[in-house]
Amino acid sequence: MTGGAMDLLPAAPAAAAAEPEADEEADPPAADSPAPQVSEPRAPASSRMQMPPGNPLLLSLTLQELLARDAVQVELIPEKKGLFLKHVEYEVSSQRFKSCVCRRYNDFVVFHEMLLQKFPYRMVPALPPKRMLGADREFIEARRRALKRFINLVARHPPFSEDVVLKLFLSFSGPDVQNKLKECAQCVGDEFMNCKLAARAKDFLPADIQTQFAISRELICNIYNSFHKLRDRAERMVSRAIDNAADLLIFGKELSALGSDTTPLPSWATLNSSTWGSLKQALKGLSVEFALLAEKAARQSKQEENDVVEKLNLFLDLLQSYKDLCERHEKGVLHKHQRALHKYSLMKRQLTSAAVQNREPESVEQLESRIVEQENVIQTMELRNYFSLYCLHQETQLVHVYLPLTSHILGAFVSSQIQGHKEVGPPHNTWPSGPAPFVLQQPFLQVWQPCG
């Protein structure tokens, strides 16, 4: 795999055996019990202070290489399917797999679930929400755009791009893709179970991984907040540009209608003057200019919607998936590790109490057996904790690979704004010091000349 992504093996390593679930009803750690220091790595040996040669933790991807992995298009199929409850279908085409398949929103939902099941320690972008009641055209289009962003982020993600689940989703043309996806993910286990580096993840992590993780999380959260505000402003600017284009077009049509008016003029009102006829001719000329302005404004707003707003949304989707991953790490494997340690502490107390009270040997042996099992659980959860940090380190690098995309987006926005103002503005040295830009000569100007 490109960029140092992890190799997958058909069998799980011995140290990564499936762990029994910790007691869901275990009491929270008591105030007097020592807090488990699972988030702090042990003092590293001197050999761990430096990264091993050929460290698979490090990504060597560029933004261009990442974007070149695939380009997936998601287009709406106009006709709704279904006899009674109509549903929308999308045409999903992959440049990499040279495929074109039809997918429903629920197919995306199952695909998303399988990704989370197989890659719980990776950035899995969120899906757009499902509307229970009738969806209007605007909602369907917004969801189509969100699905396109989702599938492109997934298709370009190093571990995801090499997984069979992605290939199946993008290329399988059979009638029941949802069951195929579920069958593909069954009995396989997650990435931790299939990665040969899982048991050694701790060896590749820097000694100050917790400090780096906290700093990176805060930085990316700040970047997200700022770009969220920028996206909102860009959306408002595009919306105003769309409204402006519509107003210009209507303005031009009204001018055209006025200039094309064929109502005869009574001679007693005109006194044989050609003012109205000249004015109508000028208004028709103006209507053409306003139509051109409307066309340019509409073209600019469409370009900015696609090249600026939509790409900012993609970047924000990526950052949001990173924030979700950090939350899963803290509320998932880290919390389970702490809970397993707490349960182990309770069992050790029970064993001590049993020895003091001289209980039957059988009950003591059972308790000792449970303690051994719990030690295995803790060992596996500790490995999962470090593997989760290992993946978080890689995902942080992936976010930074995407960061240069923002300069391209903002640069495109500036260029579009400059070009738009050039096209809408008057030609240089022609107005107002030069002749009028439209044919509004005598006697039209005389009619509108201020009195006095």
Side-chain angles (χ1 to χ4, degrees), residues 4-62:
M6 293 169 291
D7 298 324
L8 301 180
L9 297 179
E19 69 277 9
E21 182 65 31
D23 188 0
E24 294 290 342
E25 299 180 357
D27 296 328
D32 57 347
S33 61
Q37 300 297 323
V38 295
S39 60
E40 292 295 335
R42 298 171 183 170
S46 58
S47 60
R48 284 194 58 226
M49 295 302 291
Q50 296 180 350
M51 292 293 182
N55 186 3
L57 178 67
L58 305 180
L59 298 180
S60 58
L61 281 169
T62 65

Side-chain angles (χ1 to χ4, degrees), residues 57 149 169 253 267 344:
L57 178 67
R149 297 194 303 268
F169 182 80
K253 287 182 178 179
S267 59
Y344 177 77

